[in-house]
Amino acid sequence: MREITFSFLEKEENYIFDKFAKQANGSVYYKSGDNVLLATVAVDCDSIVEEDFLPLTVQYIEKAYAAGKFPGGYIKREAKPGDFETLTARIVDRSLRPLFPKNYCYPTQITIIALSVDGEADLQILALNAASAALYTSEIPLNLPVNGVRIGKIGGELVVNPSLSNMEQSTLDLFVSGVNDDVLMIEMRTFGGVDVERPSNPLSFVTTLIDDEKAKFSANAMDEAELMRALELAKTQIAKKSKIMQELFAPCIKAPVALTQERKSYHCQRIQDFIAQNYLGQLREVITFLSKTERGSKLKSFAKAIAQDFAIQFPQDVESLDERVWDSLEVWKRKMIRQMILEEGKRADGRGLKEVRPISIETNILPKAHSSALFTRGQTQALVVCTLGGDMDAQGYELLTDKGGAKEHFMVHYNFPPFSVGEANPIGATGRRELGHGNLAKRALECSIVGSDSKTIRLVSEILESNGSSSMATVCGGSLALAAADVECTDLIAGVAMGLVCEGNKYAILTDIMGLEDHDGDMDFKVAGSKNGITALQMDIKLGGLNTEILHNALLQAKEARLHILGLMEEAKSKIVLNTAVLPSSQIFAIHPSKIVEVIGQAGKTIKEIIEKFEVAIDLNRDNGEVKVSGGNKEKVDAAKAYIIGIANNKEDKPSIAELYKIGDVYEGKVKKILDFGAFVELPHNYDGLLHISKITNNRAESISDYLKEGDIVRVEVLSLNKNKVELGLKK
C-alpha cells in the first residue's frame, strides 16, 4: 500500500493505492474533503479484440448511501445508471481514450464508484482524478496521467474549480481535460443571463427557466477570444497538476503486465504496392461518390475486383486475400483523403475546406404535432419535433448531491435508428452515444429559451439520415422547432462540426465534416451558438494533444460557418406557419388574491365547472392572485380567462376610502406590519393606513422598531386621503 497526499488549488487530495480491490490491475481510494471514490482498472490479458477499435469501457456508479439516501423508486437497490452517471462515464472515457496506443486490443474495464459525497462535490472532476490515477499506476504501460479542471465565470471573472454553490452564479461551465500542455477533451456551455434561475446542481443536465415580461435576457453566448482565455487558464492548471502527479505517483506505478498478443495483422506491402501501381486513379473515383451508402458498396466491389486480379498474378499468395486487400485499400483510402485535403485543398465530395454542404429546411410538416422542423444538410437529416406541456409533464430526477428531488422542464431526446446509416438492424434501447448527443444539443439550446418553470418543453430528434454531425443538425432543427412552436427564444442557435487533418507541421481545418472525414481525420470539434457567440462546445482529439493556434483558428472558421447557417435558418423562420389548430395556449394573469376563493367555489365546484366547460387546466396562486390557464385551443383558453375575470369583478366593490374616512378622524388600531419606512395600522372597515416613520421620529438613524412592534395598539389620526391610501399620524 502507498499513500500520497498533496494540495492543489487549496484543496487537499489523498490517494491510497493498492489497499482496496487488490486483485484489479490497478486501484485507488481517492479522498477529497468528505468525498470518497474508488476507481479500479481491470484488463483481460488472455484475450484480444480483433475488430479495429479500442475495447475500453468506463462505468461511473453512484451509491445512494454515499449521501445518506435510499435509492428512489419502488426497488430500493441501485440498478440502471442515471443520465448523470452515464454522462460522467462518457467524460472520463473521452478524456482517457487518447492515451491508449492505436494497436491496443485488450478488453479493459475502468470502474469508478462514489462511496461518500458531500453537497459541494464536483463529481465529474473527482471521477476523472480517481480513474486517471488508477490507470496511470496500473499494470497497463501508459505513462501519462490525465487531469481535468472546470472553469466558471462569476461576476465577470474566470474561476478555476468553483464549488457547486459558487457555480450557481456562473454564466459559464467549461470542463477541460488534458495532460501536460495538451488538451484532450473539452465540454462547454453557457447559462442564460442574470434573469435565469440556476438549477440546484449547476453541473447537472437540467436548467430551470423563468418568465418575466420586464426582465428579458439574451442567450449568454461567449465570443471566441474570451473562450480562448478560459482555455489558456485551464491549460495552465492542467500542466501544473500533471507535473505534481507524475512526480508523486511515479513510485506507485506497478510493473507492467505482459501484453504479448497482437491483433492479427493483414498488412501486406506487396498488395499495397499492387494497388499503388494499378488502382489509385479508380480508388479516387470511388472515394468521390457523393452517396455514403453507394461509396461503401462501390468500395467493397472494388476490393473484390482487386483481389481477383491479384490472385491471377500471384496465385501462390492467396491466403486471407480478401482481408489483406481490404486492409490495404483502407490504408490507401486514408492516405488519399488526407493527401487531397493537405496538398490540393479538396475534399472527397468536391467541397472546399470551408464549404458547408447544401442545406434545406422545412417547418411544421407534421399536422398534429405542436411543431416540427426537418433540417437537411448534405446527407445528414434530422426531424426535430417539439411538444409543449405543463408542470405535470416535467421529468422528475434526483442527483446524489441534491437535497431533494427536482424537475427537468426542458428535454432533448436524440434517436439514432440503424436505418439512418443503411444498417438492417432493429431499433434498440437508448445508448450512451444517443444520450450524449441529446445532452450536447440541450446544452446548446437551453440558454436561448425564455420560459417558465411551469412550462415543459420536449424536443425529440429523429435522425433519418446520417453522414456527419447529426448532433449539430439536432441543434439547428431544435432551434427552428422551438420557433415553430411559438416558444419565445432570444436567438436562433446553429451548430457545425469541424474536423482536422494534421501531418507534421502541415494541417488543414475542415468545416462541416462528413463521416469519411470524421473516420480518417484527427479531430471531432462541435461548436454551437448564436450570432453573438458560442453557447456549447464539445471537442475530442485523436492526436496526443491540440495546438492552441489550431484550436483558435478552428473556432474562427466555425464562426464563419455558423453565421452562414444562421442566415438560412433566419430565412426559414420568417416563413413559419404555426400549427394553431393543435398548438396549446396559455394565459397568465392576476386577480385580487381575495377573489381566488370565489374562483374555486364551494368544495371546488366553480373551478371544476370552468375546467369542464372550456377544456382547460388552471393553476392558482393564493398568495399573489396569479392565475394560469392552459389548454389545447386558444379560443377556449381566452374564453376561460374572460370568465374568471368576470367572476373576480362580479362582486360588489368596497366603498371608496373617501366615503369611509375623513381627515382628522382619530382611531385606535393594531400595528399589522413593520417596514423600514413605516408601519401599517389596521383601521375599521378592513383598510390599513400607513404611519410613516417621519411621523414618529425625525432622526433618520433611528429604526421604527425602536418605537413600535407588530401587535401594538396605537392611537392614530387621518392626515390625508390619497387615491386608495390612508396616511396617518401618531396621536398622543
Side-chain angles (χ1 to χ4, degrees):
M1 183 194 84
R2 288 180 181 268
E3 183 172 355
I4 303 293
T5 301
F6 63 86
S7 291
F8 184 72
L9 295 174
E10 300 181 354
K11 290 184 179 179
E12 186 174 273
E13 299 182 27
N14 177 252
Y15 297 80
I16 300 176
F17 297 98
D18 300 321
K19 176 181 178 181
F20 303 87
K22 289 181 283 189
Q23 294 192 42
N25 296 89
S27 70
V28 63
Y29 180 89
Y30 170 64
K31 190 172 186 294
S32 176
D34 291 331
N35 303 290
V36 178
L37 291 85
L38 176 68
T40 61
V41 179
V43 184
D44 184 352
C45 302
D46 299 323
S47 63
I48 63 172
V49 173
E50 290 290 351
E51 291 81 1
D52 186 17
F53 73 95
L54 175 64
L56 171 66
T57 304
V58 176
Q59 279 186 293
Y60 167 74
I61 301 168
E62 294 181 343
K63 297 297 184 179
Y65 58 69
K69 296 180 179 181
F70 281 85
Y74 182 74
I75 304 298
K76 298 303 176 185
R77 180 170 185 163
E78 293 87 356
K80 179 183 176 183
D83 287 0
F84 182 78
E85 290 170 285
T86 301
L87 294 170
T88 301
R90 276 176 55 86
I91 281 179
V92 175
D93 183 302
R94 290 163 46 214
S95 299
L96 299 180
R97 191 169 285 267
L99 296 181
F100 288 81
K102 183 173 173 47
N103 60 347
Y104 187 87
C105 56
Y106 294 87
T108 301
Q109 175 74 43
I110 298 176
T111 305
I112 312 120
I113 304 175
L115 301 174
S116 177
V117 171
D118 67 29
E120 288 292 314
D122 185 341
L123 291 170
Q124 293 179 335
I125 292 284
L126 301 183
L128 180 57
N129 285 344
S132 175
L135 182 63
Y136 179 56
T137 58
S138 73
E139 296 171 333
I140 303 176
L142 300 178
N143 57 358
L144 291 172
V146 173
N147 71 93
V149 297
R150 192 180 301 276
I151 306 293
K153 186 180 179 185
I154 303 170
E157 299 294 328
L158 297 175
V159 181
V160 182
N161 287 353
S163 64
L164 290 193
S165 56
N166 288 335
M167 274 296 289
E168 292 178 13
Q169 309 303 319
S170 180
T171 56
L172 169 69
D173 178 10
L174 172 65
F175 188 106
V176 185
S177 63
V179 59
N180 296 327
D181 292 320
D182 293 325
V183 173
L184 298 176
M185 193 278 302
I186 301 172
E187 282 271 1
M188 171 263 188
R189 67 166 166 177
T190 60
F191 295 106
V194 295
D195 302 312
V196 175
E197 179 184 334
R198 292 288 181 263
S200 56
N201 181 349
L203 307 186
S204 74
F205 47 89
V206 175
T207 294
T208 305
L209 304 160
I210 67 168
D211 185 12
D212 184 348
E213 292 182 358
K214 297 180 181 179
K216 302 301 181 188
F217 63 97
S218 61
N220 187 42
M222 175 172 273
D223 66 48
E224 287 73 13
E226 189 175 18
L227 178 57
M228 285 303 302
R229 287 195 293 272
L231 288 171
E232 286 294 340
L233 175 60
K235 282 183 62 177
T236 300
Q237 299 302 325
I238 288 170
K240 288 180 181 178
K241 190 167 185 180
S242 288
K243 184 178 180 181
I244 294 172
M245 295 173 75
Q246 289 178 75
E247 289 178 356
L248 297 182
F249 291 174
C252 306
I253 298 174
K254 292 183 175 181
V257 68
L259 301 175
T260 57
Q261 299 186 67
E262 294 183 359
R263 284 194 181 102
K264 189 173 181 180
S265 176
Y266 295 106
H267 177 78
C268 180
Q269 191 60 47
R270 175 183 283 186
I271 295 178
Q272 287 189 37
D273 293 342
F274 183 72
I275 292 173
Q277 294 166 9
N278 302 286
Y279 299 101
L280 291 187
Q282 293 173 258
L283 176 59
R284 180 163 179 148
E285 291 179 11
V286 172
I287 289 173
T288 55
F289 270 97
L290 293 180
S291 169
K292 179 180 179 180
T293 52
E294 189 176 7
R295 185 190 307 117
S297 61
K298 286 282 185 183
L299 205 58
K300 290 177 183 177
S301 300
F302 188 42
K304 288 182 180 179
I306 293 173
Q308 290 173 358
D309 291 348
F310 185 84
I312 293 172
Q313 293 196 34
F314 304 97
Q316 74 282 4
D317 187 13
V318 294
E319 183 180 352
S320 302
L321 182 58
D322 290 341
E323 291 85 353
R324 288 189 294 149
V325 168
W326 182 259
D327 185 77
S328 299
L329 201 57
E330 281 289 316
V331 170
W332 271 112
K333 175 175 73 72
R334 186 175 190 275
K335 283 182 181 178
M336 185 170 289
I337 289 170
R338 296 170 69 88
Q339 185 180 27
M340 288 169 60
I341 290 169
L342 288 173
E343 296 182 8
E344 303 175 33
K346 291 184 178 180
R347 300 160 73 171
D349 58 1
R351 282 185 292 154
L353 303 185
K354 296 184 177 183
E355 189 175 346
V356 178
R357 288 171 291 179
I359 291 173
S360 67
I361 300 169
E362 298 176 61
T363 55
N364 283 341
I365 62 174
L366 305 179
K368 284 297 183 180
H370 289 166
S371 78
S372 56
L374 183 68
F375 183 88
T376 307
R377 185 187 59 240
Q379 289 182 300
T380 296
Q381 185 177 71
L383 173 62
V384 188
V385 185
C386 180
T387 308
L388 306 179
D391 186 61
M392 295 296 292
D393 298 305
Q395 172 69 59
Y397 74 99
E398 182 176 0
L399 297 177
L400 199 60
T401 50
D402 285 347
K403 293 181 180 178
K407 288 186 175 181
E408 181 182 9
H409 288 90
F410 177 50
M411 295 166 272
V412 179
H413 295 154
Y414 168 101
N415 298 317
F416 192 87
F419 64 74
S420 66
V421 288
E423 294 179 357
N425 295 323
I427 294 175
T430 303
R432 286 189 173 195
R433 179 180 178 276
E434 290 174 297
L435 185 62
H437 279 26
N439 180 61
L440 174 59
K442 180 184 187 302
R443 292 158 74 97
L445 295 170
E446 62 188 348
C447 69
S448 71
I449 301 173
V450 181
S452 164
D453 59 6
S454 60
K455 177 193 295 181
T456 299
I457 303 170
R458 181 181 184 233
L459 291 177
V460 179
S461 177
E462 309 286 1
I463 304 303
L464 306 182
E465 187 179 5
S466 178
N467 184 11
S469 195
S470 52
S471 63
M472 294 297 95
T474 296
V475 170
C476 299
S479 187
L480 289 164
L482 291 170
D486 204 25
V487 174
E488 185 179 2
C489 295
T490 59
D491 304 289
L492 284 174
I493 305 295
V496 63
M498 309 297 292
L500 174 71
V501 173
C502 188
E503 297 283 354
N505 294 326
K506 296 182 67 175
Y507 71 89
I509 300 168
L510 310 179
T511 294
D512 181 25
I513 58 173
M514 57 182 180
L516 194 67
E517 294 161 340
D518 187 11
H519 181 268
D520 291 323
D522 299 318
M523 178 183 72
D524 183 11
F525 189 30
K526 300 180 177 73
V527 187
S530 67
K531 60 182 179 294
N532 298 315
I534 299 167
T535 59
L537 181 151
Q538 185 180 93
M539 187 200 79
D540 294 294
I541 191 76
K542 300 176 187 177
L543 302 169
L546 187 60
N547 180 283
T548 304
E549 177 193 353
I550 296 175
L551 181 57
H552 185 239
N553 290 339
L555 285 172
L556 295 179
Q557 193 165 315
K559 181 180 181 179
E560 294 179 25
R562 187 173 74 247
L563 294 177
H564 165 72
I565 297 169
L566 283 169
L568 299 176
M569 291 172 63
E570 289 284 359
E571 183 180 349
K573 180 183 177 181
S574 67
K575 299 176 182 177
I576 289 175
V577 178
L578 299 179
N579 282 352
T580 52
V582 296
L583 199 60
S585 176
S586 64
Q587 290 278 4
I588 300 176
F589 55 98
I591 60 176
H592 196 280
S594 65
K595 304 292 185 179
I596 293 291
V597 66
E598 295 167 14
V599 175
I600 296 173
Q602 187 175 4
K605 180 181 178 182
T606 304
I607 195 170
K608 288 178 183 176
E609 290 176 351
I610 300 171
I611 291 171
E612 292 175 3
K613 180 178 180 179
F614 297 102
E615 299 176 352
V616 294
I618 301 175
D619 293 319
L620 303 172
N621 189 318
R622 291 175 180 265
D623 295 329
N624 60 13
E626 183 182 89
V627 181
K628 180 181 178 183
V629 182
S630 56
N633 185 289
K634 187 177 186 302
E635 292 181 359
K636 291 183 178 180
V637 169
D638 292 341
K641 174 185 176 182
Y643 191 85
I644 292 170
I645 291 175
I647 292 174
N649 294 337
N650 195 33
K651 301 297 179 181
E652 186 178 342
D653 293 333
K654 291 181 180 180
S656 69
I657 60 170
E659 299 175 52
L660 298 173
Y661 309 101
K662 301 297 180 185
I663 294 175
D665 287 350
V666 177
Y667 301 97
E668 281 192 352
K670 183 190 293 186
V671 176
K672 289 184 66 177
K673 194 164 188 178
I674 297 249
L675 298 172
D676 291 339
F677 55 84
F680 283 98
V681 179
E682 189 178 56
L683 299 175
H685 313 299
N686 294 323
Y687 272 90
D688 296 333
L690 174 62
L691 179 61
H692 196 269
I693 189 172
S694 63
K695 307 303 180 184
I696 302 172
T697 176
N698 292 322
N699 188 347
R700 294 187 178 184
E702 292 182 321
S703 170
I704 192 170
S705 59
D706 295 333
Y707 297 90
L708 297 175
K709 62 179 183 295
E710 291 182 7
D712 284 352
I713 302 298
V714 293
R715 186 176 171 83
V716 293
E717 178 183 4
V718 177
L719 298 181
S720 68
L721 302 172
N722 182 14
K723 295 183 180 179
N724 283 325
K725 296 179 182 178
V726 182
E727 297 180 4
L728 304 173
L730 201 58
K731 187 72 174 178
K732 296 182 180 178

